Amino acid sequence: QKEVEQNSGPLSVPEGAIASLNCTYSDRGSQSFFWYRQYSGKSPELIMFIYSNGDKEDGRFTAQLNKASQYVSLLIRDSQPSDSATYLCAVLGGGADGLTFGKGTHLIIQP
Amino acid sequence: NAGVMQNPRHLVRRRGQEARLRCSPMKGHSHVYWYRQLPEEGLKFMVYLQKENIIDESGMPKERFSAEFPKEGPSILRIQQVVRGDSAAYFCASSAGNSNQPQHFGDGTRLSIL
């Protein structure tokens, strides 16, 4: 059974600092990796996606992928209170059509 | 609004009734996915459809649940004879293609069973 694991948190980070969110996955056949942000009572919003080993940067966000270690992370630089949300790691591949989600990490940015 | 459109936003049903949830994909997208999020649970994949075809329904409960994506009109997720355990947020996502294409989510339908 494919699994995606995240620390549920809460992860508390001071405003302006770097928030580091981590995710591991069980299926070595996974090919695509996504980070979604979900505010309470709202829908998931796509933040980043990454397909290849290494880093991918978009504004304040950096996604990191290490397929050998089956590990994907999201870094948020210059954290803002508006970044406070649950961050969902999602994985696709290995013959599956639907995303497999982790349960999410609750991030709190302290002003 | 070119985003994924879901309606209704909230739906209340009594046990034994039918629930119909609708989803129109983002403009230019022809691939639709349905997910369910139970309280305090993660998002779970239910079904993947393209126009007039169910591609993967491996996450769909075998009974009472069905989905369609007709040639014209929105995708429909139908739940017959609803039970309390069906209370959840149901999200639709769409993508421009399968495999690596990112999926974009609608605002969801919050289903409450009395």
Side-chain angles (χ1 to χ4, degrees), chain A residues 32 34 36 38 41-44 46 49 51 88 92 97-99 101, chain B residues 33 35 37 43 45 48 56 91 99-100 102-107 110:
Chain A
S32 310
F34 304 87
Y36 287 85
Q38 187 174 29
K42 301 297 185 182
S43 64
L46 181 67
F49 57 92
Y51 305 141
L88 305 173
L92 184 66
D97 295 303
L99 293 166
F101 280 88
Chain B
Y33 311 80
Y35 294 84
Q37 189 171 38
L43 278 154
F45 166 74
Y48 162 45
D56 180 355
F91 291 100
S99 302
N100 292 343
Q103 297 176 22
H104 298 269
F105 282 77
D107 288 337
R110 272 71 178 175

Side-chain angles (χ1 to χ4, degrees), chain B:
Chain B
N1 186 344
V4 179
M5 302 299 293
Q6 288 190 251
N7 66 82
R9 293 290 302 277
H10 300 274
L11 182 62
V12 179
R13 284 288 178 266
R14 297 189 180 279
R15 283 177 294 172
Q17 292 184 321
E18 178 179 287
R20 284 196 179 199
L21 289 61
R22 289 176 289 278
C23 169
S24 295
M26 188 179 287
K27 187 175 181 180
H29 288 187
S30 58
H31 300 250
V32 167
Y33 311 80
W34 285 93
Y35 294 84
R36 176 167 64 176
Q37 189 171 38
L38 292 165
E40 306 304 322
E41 293 284 331
L43 278 154
K44 301 293 185 186
F45 166 74
M46 299 180 74
V47 61
Y48 162 45
L49 310 102
Q50 296 178 30
K51 284 286 187 182
E52 300 185 279
N53 284 300
I54 297 174
I55 308 302
D56 180 355
E57 57 183 347
S58 59
M60 192 96 92
K62 293 292 185 287
E63 298 180 350
R64 301 188 298 107
F65 286 73
S66 62
E68 63 177 6
F69 190 13
K71 185 177 180 180
E72 301 291 338
S75 175
I76 305 289
L77 179 67
R78 182 184 294 112
I79 311 173
Q80 296 177 303
Q81 299 175 345
V82 296
V83 301
R84 289 258 170 87
D86 296 332
S87 295
Y90 291 82
F91 291 100
C92 171
S94 72
S95 71
N98 59 359
S99 302
N100 292 343
Q101 296 298 315
Q103 297 176 22
H104 298 269
F105 282 77
D107 288 337
T109 294
R110 272 71 178 175
L111 176 65
S112 298
I113 308 302
L114 301 180

Side-chain angles (χ1 to χ4, degrees), chain A residues 2-58:
Chain A
K2 298 167 188 170
E3 294 183 347
V4 176
E5 299 290 339
Q6 295 181 256
N7 189 323
S8 62
L11 174 64
S12 187
V13 173
E15 183 176 358
I18 296 175
S20 178
L21 303 160
N22 305 314
C23 169
T24 59
Y25 58 95
S26 63
D27 184 7
R28 284 198 172 272
S30 300
Q31 299 169 348
S32 310
F33 307 86
F34 304 87
W35 283 98
Y36 287 85
R37 177 174 64 196
Q38 187 174 29
Y39 295 111
S40 180
K42 301 297 185 182
S43 64
E45 175 190 5
L46 181 67
I47 297 296
M48 291 283 291
F49 57 92
I50 187 167
Y51 305 141
S52 303
N53 277 329
D55 295 0
K56 179 182 177 182
E57 185 175 320
D58 184 1

